[in-house]
Amino acid sequence: MAKPIQSIERAAAVLRLLGGAGRPLALAELAAALDLPRPTAHGIVRTLCDEDLAGQDPSTGRYHLGDGLTRLGSAWDRHDLRSRAMNWADALAATTGCAVFLGVPEDRGVGLVHHVFRPDGTPQRLRTNAVQPLHATAWGLCLLAFAPVAARPPQEMERYTRRTVTTAAALADVLAETRRRGWAADAGGYEPDVGRVAVPVRSGGGLTVAALGIGAPLEELFGPGGRVRPDPLAALTSAAGEIAASLEAER
């Protein structure tokens, strides 16, 4: 049996103490209550402050619980995510020639919070606010692989095309491969002859809050042997990193 991690135990004890005190506490009080050296207590509480799990009153220097605790278990607001992603999504569409989608977990599906049309002028239908299946789309598979607590597949997986994943065993294999390589793909799993690729968008601590994806005719995204073309994948990965950086800067 693995031993408890002492630093996490101590951080949890600090949070319990701050939550139960009924008032802000001085560093000396924290250290004495937990029988910790003051430098150790200071390092713990400063880290908690950096993560917004604790806060410090600038006038007294005393510590209290942070606003970040109220957001535990909650995803970023979808409108905030969309506003953070818009510029990068537009640039990604221009660079790759693909449609761009930003998806979040919603009602055992993936809710599309942003959609940029392919810049080729072909007739397209806006998919913003649509909910698509997790098991049949690249962005859904991405969320299942990297945000498994928030995204849960339906008990029955509907077949949309002959390439749709419809069994638990097949889905487990796809998700394992997705985690191994760091991105998800569907080669016509939701719409015939349409390919999609998606990567996770991560917030603080590496938490996946959304999936950023691109879609185009199969032959534009997938080369010989069904391999994803490297240039659009590289552009997609870069854009997701830039969006993640903007989310981290907002913390």
Side-chain angles (χ1 to χ4, degrees):
M1 182 178 295
K3 294 181 179 180
I5 300 174
Q6 188 181 57
S7 60
I8 296 178
E9 286 184 319
R10 288 174 169 175
V14 169
L15 291 174
R16 291 192 188 99
L17 187 59
L18 292 175
R23 60 177 177 82
L25 298 176
L27 177 61
E29 293 177 293
L30 287 170
L34 299 174
D35 193 23
L36 293 174
R38 286 184 61 157
T40 301
H42 185 253
I44 293 171
V45 76
R46 285 309 313 162
T47 301
L48 291 172
C49 286
D50 290 342
E51 296 298 323
D52 202 24
L53 300 178
Q56 185 178 27
D57 188 318
S59 61
T60 66
R62 293 174 179 266
Y63 295 95
H64 52 80
L65 291 178
D67 294 337
L69 285 170
T70 64
R71 296 193 296 269
L72 287 178
S74 300
W76 273 75
D77 179 84
R78 58 194 295 145
H79 300 296
D80 287 343
L81 277 171
R82 183 173 186 267
S83 66
R84 296 281 167 195
M86 285 181 67
N87 290 340
W88 297 108
D90 289 345
L92 180 61
T95 300
T96 62
C98 299
V100 177
F101 300 84
L102 184 72
V104 297
E106 181 178 331
D107 298 332
R108 284 192 175 264
V110 51
L112 301 180
V113 300
H114 191 47
H115 174 201
V116 182
F117 285 171
R118 292 193 311 275
D120 59 6
T122 57
Q124 298 170 66
R125 180 164 58 91
L126 187 65
R127 304 295 180 91
T128 300
N129 296 324
V131 178
Q132 295 185 345
L134 289 164
H135 68 286
T137 60
W139 21 94
L141 293 169
C142 182
L143 292 174
L144 286 172
F146 299 109
V149 174
R152 300 175 185 177
Q155 294 181 343
E156 295 184 7
M157 289 177 272
E158 181 178 349
R159 180 179 295 279
Y160 295 92
T161 75
R162 63 183 180 85
R163 292 174 172 158
T164 306
V165 175
T166 57
T167 68
L171 180 62
D173 289 343
V174 169
L175 297 183
E177 176 65 9
T178 296
R179 296 185 188 103
R180 183 193 66 78
R181 65 193 180 192
W183 48 270
D186 81 83
Y190 185 49
E191 296 175 288
D193 303 320
V194 177
R196 299 175 177 86
V197 183
V199 297
V201 176
R202 301 183 186 273
S203 182
L207 180 69
T208 295
V209 295
L212 182 69
I214 52 178
L218 273 174
E219 64 275 9
E220 294 183 18
L221 268 183
F222 294 84
R227 291 187 294 272
V228 174
R229 298 187 185 277
D231 288 348
L233 177 59
L236 173 63
T237 303
S238 177
E242 296 292 351
I243 295 170
S246 74
L247 296 177
E248 182 68 13
E250 183 66 14
R251 295 175 63 217

